[in-house]
Amino acid sequence: MDSKNMGFNTKLVHAGDFEDAFGSAVVPIYQTSTFAFKDAAHGARLFAGEEKGYIYTRIGNPTIEALENKLAALENGFGGVAFASGMAAVSTVYFSFLQQGDHMVSTAAVYGPSRGLMENVLHNLGVESTYINTSDLDLIEKSIKPNTKMLYLETPANPTISLTDIKAASEIAHKHGIVVVVDNTFSSPYLQKPLDLGADIVLHSLTKFINGHADIVGGAVITKTEKDYKKVRKTMTYLGGNMDPHQAYMVIRGVKTLSLRIERATENAKKIAEYLENHPKVAWVKYPGLKSHPQHELAKKQMKDFGTMISFELKGGHEAGVILMNNVKVALLAVSLGGVESLIQHPASMTHAGVPKEKREEAGISDGLVRYSVGIEDVEDLINDLDQALAKI
Ligand SMILES: *Cc1c(COP(=O)(O)O)cnc(C)c1O
């Protein structure tokens, strides 16, 4: 069956599959670095692109390609390119579409290393950038300069859980001939399909929801057009951030249950967000599914459901955060997100402990901010866990 005619869940299980000589039920791992040509003319045809086939795993490999085709089908894109990590996907997108003298406008609450790469590497090569609150569409329009070539969005953004209207932002960018990139890691194609909303390029850290089991690191770029696909693939083969076949096999296995995992974890997240919102030691909760979220209506319009990421602020500030961290027993104290296991993090005392307070607060990280990535455990266990730990504050 052509994946174009499949529903989303059928794509999760079957898109990208191919028949092998033995009728293998799952995509086999082609753990090989190189592929033998039948003869000199065959090698020449493959290199000239006149015949489909495999040459060398950095350029292409059947297991990796099966994953790339599945991801392209899930995002309704033309093609996909898989990477060794999410950051390899980010860097390849920057190098594919930005040159010396170009300017990029980006969501300010973007994934830290995406900004770090821009400001510490791309700036040295003559690329400029402006970081703004992309929830404000007028600010996007105002930030565009004659040399702006990329609008880089993350929605919902981390840790503010603020949303950007992808459709409206893409319309503004396209008026100026600007390529629109969306880091869709926080949503996955189950919750949000940026290409359908007008974006040109989607990228993922597969490490998070798509693999979903906290056992590999990986990345992907999915493009709307063939032209952009060719550009990204070419840049990837130069930069060398390709995925490994074994990694691809793991992601193909993990992604099959994406809908089931997110549906269950979202059900849990809604209950936890409500529980926290009514807790006397919690100042506020940011979750797109709560009516109190300033972009609740946009979330309903743009996303299939509200996702599994919650931010909340403890009234007791830094000290309360440390007590909570030291007393939760079910949720793991860890960075990352989107796995079957619940993860909790207090940035002020953990990931951002070395960042000066003003810089932290500029990025939306207050003293009592806690980030919770809700997993698929029993929600009663997760709430009881939070309840006993909050009681210690
Ligand atoms: C984790 C993450 C990345 C980077 O991905 P890696 O797989 O860790 O390299 C990029 N963007 C977002 C939003 C992420 O959460």
Side-chain angles (χ1 to χ4, degrees):
M1 186 177 178
D2 182 353
S3 69
K4 291 222 165 33
N5 302 321
M6 292 178 186
F8 188 80
N9 295 306
T10 309
K11 285 181 185 175
L12 284 176
V13 180
H14 295 296
D17 286 3
F18 57 86
E19 269 177 50
D20 76 339
F22 307 104
S24 173
V26 297
V27 171
I29 310 175
Y30 286 85
Q31 195 72 41
T32 181
S33 61
T34 195
F35 297 83
F37 307 130
K38 294 187 187 98
D39 52 36
H42 178 225
R45 287 196 303 277
L46 289 181
F47 266 101
E50 290 162 11
E51 189 178 317
K52 205 188 138 23
Y54 301 97
I55 295 169
Y56 184 65
T57 283
R58 176 162 43 75
I59 302 168
N61 171 291
T63 314
I64 301 169
E65 193 179 308
L67 172 64
E68 291 170 336
N69 290 341
K70 191 190 287 289
L71 296 174
L74 294 173
E75 290 282 10
N76 297 330
F78 171 82
V81 182
F83 293 87
S85 70
M87 282 311 299
V90 174
S91 54
T92 301
V93 164
Y94 286 171
F95 283 109
S96 298
F97 298 99
L98 295 169
Q99 296 179 22
Q100 186 176 31
D102 289 350
H103 172 245
M104 178 186 88
V105 175
S106 166
T107 306
V110 76
Y111 184 67
S114 301
R115 183 164 181 171
L117 171 65
M118 173 55 63
E119 294 184 338
N120 294 296
V121 179
L122 275 287
H123 280 194
N124 295 338
L125 302 174
V127 176
E128 298 183 278
S129 61
T130 306
Y131 288 86
I132 58 161
N133 173 11
T134 50
S135 305
D136 182 344
L137 295 169
D138 290 337
L139 201 51
I140 295 180
E141 182 91 57
K142 283 190 196 119
S143 306
I144 292 171
K145 305 201 249 181
N147 60 338
T148 305
K149 293 288 162 60
M150 181 183 287
L151 175 64
Y152 189 98
L153 304 174
E154 213 175 293
T155 173
N158 176 33
T160 55
I161 318 287
S162 54
L163 273 60
T164 297
D165 186 331
I166 297 172
K167 189 161 179 278
S170 299
E171 279 166 13
I172 294 168
H174 289 154
K175 268 196 320 205
H176 299 270
I178 295 167
V179 66
V180 178
V181 178
V182 176
D183 181 338
N184 204 29
T185 301
F186 257 54
S187 298
S188 89
Y190 172 80
L191 291 173
Q192 175 172 282
K193 293 188 186 63
L195 300 181
D196 289 354
L197 294 167
D200 304 296
I201 311 287
V202 167
L203 66 85
H204 280 284
S205 167
L206 302 175
T207 316
K208 318 293 167 54
F209 284 107
I210 291 190
N211 181 59
H213 293 76
D215 50 10
I216 64 103
V217 170
V221 173
I222 299 100
T223 70
K224 188 182 267 175
T225 68
E226 181 172 11
K227 184 166 161 265
D228 287 345
Y229 164 76
K230 286 186 167 158
K231 212 176 212 181
V232 172
R233 167 134 338 252
K234 197 166 155 193
T235 309
M236 182 278 277
T237 62
Y238 289 140
L239 290 175
N242 62 283
M243 182 171 263
D244 177 82
H246 188 264
Q247 227 179 338
Y249 168 84
M250 296 290 281
V251 182
I252 291 170
R253 183 164 82 153
V255 74
K256 288 179 185 177
T257 54
L258 181 72
S259 295
L260 297 173
R261 286 186 279 108
I262 297 195
E263 278 162 18
R264 171 61 173 272
T266 300
E267 218 178 281
N268 287 351
K270 286 176 188 167
K271 291 181 184 150
I272 292 171
E274 275 170 28
Y275 160 79
L276 289 168
E277 198 164 49
N278 291 313
H279 198 287
K281 289 179 184 167
V282 174
W284 49 257
V285 181
K286 267 292 210 62
Y287 179 67
L290 292 173
K291 289 203 178 67
S292 59
H293 191 288
Q295 293 153 307
H296 180 62
E297 291 307 315
L298 174 60
K300 280 204 268 189
K301 198 174 77 176
Q302 176 163 289
M303 301 170 73
K304 182 183 165 73
D305 208 337
F306 303 117
T308 71
M309 298 301 297
I310 302 172
S311 283
F312 60 99
E313 176 75 16
L314 293 166
K315 286 181 185 160
H318 193 282
E319 197 192 334
V322 173
I323 296 172
L324 182 66
M325 290 305 108
N326 290 341
N327 285 285
V328 285
K329 295 189 171 74
V330 180
L332 303 176
L333 267 54
V335 297
S336 196
L337 61 109
V340 292
E341 57 288 299
S342 294
L343 304 178
I344 197 164
Q345 221 259 96
H346 175 230
S349 73
M350 294 164 69
T351 48
H352 292 66
V355 180
K357 191 176 157 95
E358 311 92 76
K359 271 209 112 167
R360 254 203 289 120
E361 287 182 345
E362 213 180 271
I365 298 169
S366 37
D367 285 346
L369 182 83
V370 176
R371 191 182 85 168
Y372 200 123
S373 170
V374 181
I376 65 169
E377 300 94 337
D378 287 305
V379 73
E380 295 77 18
D381 289 342
L382 298 175
I383 290 180
N384 289 340
D385 186 33
L386 284 170
D387 209 48
Q388 61 80 25
L390 286 166
K392 304 256 165 51
I393 295 171

